[in-house]
Amino acid sequence: MTDTPDLQKLRYPIGKFKVPESYNRTLINSWIRTIEDFPRKLRNTVEGFSESQFDTPYRPGGWTVRQLIHHIADSHMNSIIRFKLGLTEDKPTIKTYREDAWGEMIDNKTAEAGVSLRIIESVHTRWVSIMKNMTDAEFDREIKHPEWDRDFGLKFYAALYAWHCDHHLAHILSLKKEKGW
């Protein structure tokens, strides 16, 4: 079944990730700023949410805001590990995980969203500290993604995770607008 244009817009409110055609330090620094600012923006976006708001799906058939926040924590914990592996090993193969299955686990469905908001804040603080001190050569270091069967530089992952931040923030902002919250 293909998505309708409306469902596609709900799934990808800022569009699908596009691999940058080129990389430079200005772009990398903008991605670092996005990742650095994200925890504050996310917390401000959900500040004052009731439990029922956290349990509202951001789209039909989609995760709840609670699951989305826990997914972001799961994803970004994996990302900092991938960065560290890429900086300390020669072209390591990263471990993938079934994010769909993780999203359906009991903790993602029921744990207080604040738990993962604190994880996101802490992980991003450490992650940004690493990225702000990386050289261009370090951003060129590669890790192998086994599902895509390709090596990608850490600069690619900086772009991908900056998009990931904006992508999921847009999910919640769109829901807030739709519901008038």
Side-chain angles (χ1 to χ4, degrees):
M1 181 172 100
T2 56
D3 288 346
T4 64
D6 288 344
L7 186 56
Q8 194 69 352
K9 182 68 176 160
L10 289 172
R11 288 183 71 178
Y12 299 100
I14 63 168
K16 291 184 177 184
F17 175 70
K18 292 180 179 71
V19 177
E21 293 179 17
S22 63
Y23 297 88
N24 60 53
R25 198 59 189 201
T26 301
L27 279 173
I28 291 169
N29 288 340
S30 74
W31 298 326
I32 294 169
R33 273 192 306 281
T34 296
I35 292 167
E36 182 175 34
D37 294 342
F38 177 70
R40 177 187 46 77
K41 288 180 178 181
L42 178 61
R43 186 173 284 281
N44 289 343
T45 299
V46 300
E47 188 173 352
F49 267 30
S50 67
E51 290 302 304
S52 68
Q53 287 171 310
F54 279 117
D55 290 330
T56 302
Y58 71 90
R59 66 173 171 83
W63 284 335
T64 65
V65 173
R66 180 184 315 277
Q67 287 172 290
L68 197 57
I69 290 169
H70 293 314
H71 158 72
I72 294 164
D74 292 341
S75 175
H76 294 192
M77 285 188 289
N78 274 283
S79 181
I80 191 172
I81 290 166
R82 291 170 179 179
F83 266 74
K84 287 183 167 216
L85 288 170
L87 290 168
T88 60
E89 298 179 16
D90 187 33
K91 289 191 182 182
T93 299
I94 59 171
K95 172 77 174 99
T96 60
Y97 66 101
R98 291 203 35 228
E99 65 182 41
D100 58 334
W102 285 34
E104 296 301 321
M105 293 182 71
I106 191 69
D107 63 321
N108 282 41
K109 288 184 167 187
T110 62
E112 175 203 350
V115 171
S116 282
L117 289 171
R118 290 187 295 276
I119 289 170
I120 293 164
E121 289 164 351
S122 297
V123 165
H124 280 238
T125 297
R126 292 187 63 197
W127 189 13
V128 167
S129 174
I130 292 167
M131 288 190 292
K132 282 186 172 181
N133 289 287
M134 287 172 63
T135 65
D136 290 341
E138 287 172 321
F139 273 106
D140 286 336
R141 292 182 62 91
E142 295 182 330
I143 55 180
K144 181 176 187 69
H145 197 294
E147 288 178 354
W148 298 335
D149 196 30
R150 284 196 50 200
D151 297 337
F152 292 99
L154 292 176
K155 58 192 172 194
F156 165 86
Y157 287 98
L160 176 65
Y161 282 98
W163 172 86
H164 193 252
C165 291
D166 289 342
H167 168 69
H168 287 311
L169 188 63
H171 283 142
I172 301 169
L173 289 168
S174 296
L175 176 65
K176 281 181 74 168
K177 183 177 179 182
E178 176 201 333
K179 298 289 188 185
W181 295 343

